[in-house]
Amino acid sequence: MVVCGDDELAHQLAEELRSVYREQVTLVVPPAERTVRPPVVGRVRTGSALLNRMVSVAVNRAGGGLGPSRGDGRQVEAAEPTESVLEDAGVERAAALALVYEDDETNIRAALIARRLNPRLRLVLRLYNRRLGQHIEELLDQASALATGQGEGAPVVDASTTVLSDADTAAPALVASAVAGTSKVVQTDRLLLRAVERQPPAPGQVADPGLCTLALLSATSSDPAGTDGSEDSGAQGPQLLPDEEAVRAATGRGTVVLEQVSYTAGQPLSGARAVAAAVPPLASLFSRRLRWAVAGVGACVLALAAALWAVTDIHPLGALYLTLLDLFAIDEPALGEPVGRQVLQLLSGLMGLLLLPVLLAAALEALGTFRSAASLRKPPRGMEGHVVLLGLGKIGTRVLIRLRELRIPVVCVEADPEARGMATARRLRVPVVLGDVTQEGVLEAARIHRAHVLLAVTSADTTNLEAVLYARSVRPDLRVMLRLYDDDFATAVYRTLKAAHPAALTRSRSVSHLAAPSFAGAMFGRQVLGAIPVERRVLLFASMEVGGHPQLEGKTVAEAFRPGYWRVLALEVGVIGWGRREPAGSAEPAEASGQASELIWDLPPTYVLQAEDRVVLAATRRGLAELLGRRARTGA
């Protein structure tokens, strides 16, 4: 395996491949003095755990450096992943290459070079632009198919290309960690799942297991200084994928239950609903004082029309019509008319003069409202129970989109008016406070004293930590979630905050820690559906073929279940038979006939998994590593 990157994700991914999947890894990183991202508080692992275990000697040279290696891997120091650097790293002989630079262009350029050097190489790219990523996947897969002599429509299994985004991978977990009562969500094109934390049932009650029980929560979750699910927590940590006997034996421990959610809330709006959603409501166009003024003028007009009807015996509609003509000064003078008619005409003209400034104020207010709809909104005065989101960068933008999909009110705080998430905030009409969160008064402007959750996801660890500490001084019971660059530092901050404020919910997350398992799994050619954090551990969801896995093929669903490692959740089927996919080589596949595949969740325990089946399973990192490792050793 070859991993190329310039930030903590590259180190975390290499460590994941080496320690969990037991793979030989070559890590390509920039020289220490040319690291793209400057050091921040908590980034204390530079050259520590991973590099100490990956015994290497790096020789720095003009285009890059490569040193002889021993043990499980080696390290290459190179400013850029040029062709010579990739050749020295062994891309021509590698099974998979991960390109996780922060710059999309660097990853694409290196992927094109690597595909030419090794057409059978599995590629994993980190791209923020998802639309561009889809085109890059198709281009690289087509190039591999032509270079290896396969047909244009043939599937490319060994040389697959997977484009992932650390922002998309980590955003659901960040949102779920911050918002109490909001489900942890895994979402794909056809699949929407949520993991719900449930408290221990009362004595004599039986908890609803949902689709299945994913985990038993930590027995020390109520201990402020507990480990909260660290990898070395042993029996005190969460128990992932327990069997029914373990669930029944567990007393006083919460559970994480899997539930299926429909797509009704995520369907696109119709044309009329989209127009209605884009137009502000009438109450937001005009102020309350102006609405009262218009109502008063209208009442006066009706009173004048009623008086004219009483004086002249004209039909009520005719009296209203004449009153409006007088109001707009387009009626003839009431010469020779009764005195009452003349007086009413003068009063109507006076009302017309008073109406002019009211109409002008209404026009100006409506214009200002529509102009402000395209600009940044300010938090309403009475807003409460919302989420304060700090940072609208790459991660913050994805988190904002997830929060709005869940219909959660949000107030954003951003110091840079040109941040990439500002356009998204304008489009979603989310209130934004411009200013440095470390300055006094900025969090107060975001109504932090009335907020429900503080979600700090800026790119600076010190800013996130300072904002959380200040917010806790204002609201000691405030729920907080902060993104920290280094996972060790995130663990230390979490334990300290939890010990200092045991009654408040605290979460600290490292994006690289949340994203690394998905990137690592993609390097083995599987489809990544998502990851759900369980305390400080991660549960992965994957879609894979049964063929080539002796732990699954030819076994029943019950026999294939291995507690603590993996569990089959659903079967992806076509239109032929109860639970059987379209046979390979069929003249007209299900998709071609207009009948797409679907997922069957209520699989009987006695159903036998066949080689042509594709299943959706939940697995721990070590469980999925064992599945993929055995498949590699069998030559599948």
Side-chain angles (χ1 to χ4, degrees), residues 547-573:
H549 297 281
Q551 307 93 330
L552 305 176
E553 186 176 354
K555 294 187 177 182
T556 64
V557 174
E559 294 172 345
F561 174 37
R562 185 178 176 186
Y565 287 83
W566 61 77
R567 179 171 185 168
V568 176
L569 301 177
L571 180 70
E572 184 178 356
V573 299

Side-chain angles (χ1 to χ4, degrees), residues 282-449:
L282 182 62
S284 65
L285 290 177
F286 308 108
S287 64
R288 183 178 180 182
R289 184 177 300 177
L290 181 59
R291 294 197 300 270
W292 276 110
V294 173
V297 172
C300 293
V301 171
L302 293 178
L304 290 173
L308 182 61
W309 173 35
V311 171
T312 61
D313 292 333
I314 301 176
H315 190 274
L317 293 179
L320 179 61
Y321 176 68
L322 291 177
T323 301
L324 292 177
L325 291 179
D326 294 335
L327 188 69
F328 296 114
I330 58 177
D331 197 9
E332 296 181 358
L335 298 177
E337 298 288 339
V339 176
R341 169 74 178 94
Q342 294 176 346
V343 172
L344 291 175
Q345 188 177 51
L346 292 176
L347 292 177
S348 299
L350 179 61
M351 286 300 303
L353 294 177
L354 297 177
L355 181 62
L356 287 178
V358 175
L359 295 178
L360 180 61
L364 293 177
E365 281 199 6
L367 179 61
T369 301
F370 280 108
R371 291 183 61 185
S372 62
S375 60
L376 296 177
R377 301 180 60 198
K378 295 182 179 180
R381 292 183 178 179
M383 192 172 190
E384 61 181 6
H386 57 284
V387 174
V388 176
L389 176 62
L390 308 184
L392 286 176
K394 183 176 63 174
I395 303 295
T397 303
R398 296 291 190 240
V399 172
L400 173 61
I401 295 174
R402 292 284 183 173
L403 289 171
R404 295 307 298 144
E405 288 176 352
L406 296 173
R407 302 182 184 277
I408 298 174
V410 187
V411 174
C412 301
V413 179
E414 175 57 53
D416 183 10
E418 302 298 327
R420 72 169 76 209
M422 298 298 284
T424 302
R426 292 189 183 95
R427 176 174 56 84
L428 298 176
R429 305 187 71 236
V430 174
V432 178
V433 176
L434 282 176
D436 187 354
V437 70
T438 60
Q439 299 297 323
E440 185 177 357
V442 174
L443 283 178
E444 285 79 358
R447 309 291 189 265
I448 191 64
H449 57 286

Side-chain angles (χ1 to χ4, degrees), residues 99-156:
L99 298 165
V100 293
Y101 291 94
E102 289 189 336
D103 180 42
D104 287 2
E105 182 180 351
T106 301
N107 293 327
I108 294 174
R109 183 171 62 250
L112 296 176
I113 297 173
R115 178 59 78 208
R116 179 170 52 82
L117 294 176
N118 187 353
R120 296 186 177 276
L121 183 70
R122 285 192 298 270
L123 289 174
V124 178
L125 279 73
R126 172 190 185 182
L127 295 183
Y128 182 81
N129 191 330
R130 290 179 289 183
R131 180 176 299 180
L132 176 61
Q134 295 177 357
H135 297 303
I136 292 298
E137 279 188 356
E138 297 174 358
L139 175 64
L140 294 176
D141 284 345
Q142 183 178 1
S144 175
L146 294 177
T148 55
Q150 303 183 41
E152 183 177 353
V156 182

Side-chain angles (χ1 to χ4, degrees), residues 220-238:
T220 61
S221 57
S222 60
D223 182 8
T227 57
D228 190 38
S230 62
E231 294 291 343
D232 300 327
S233 58
Q236 294 182 344

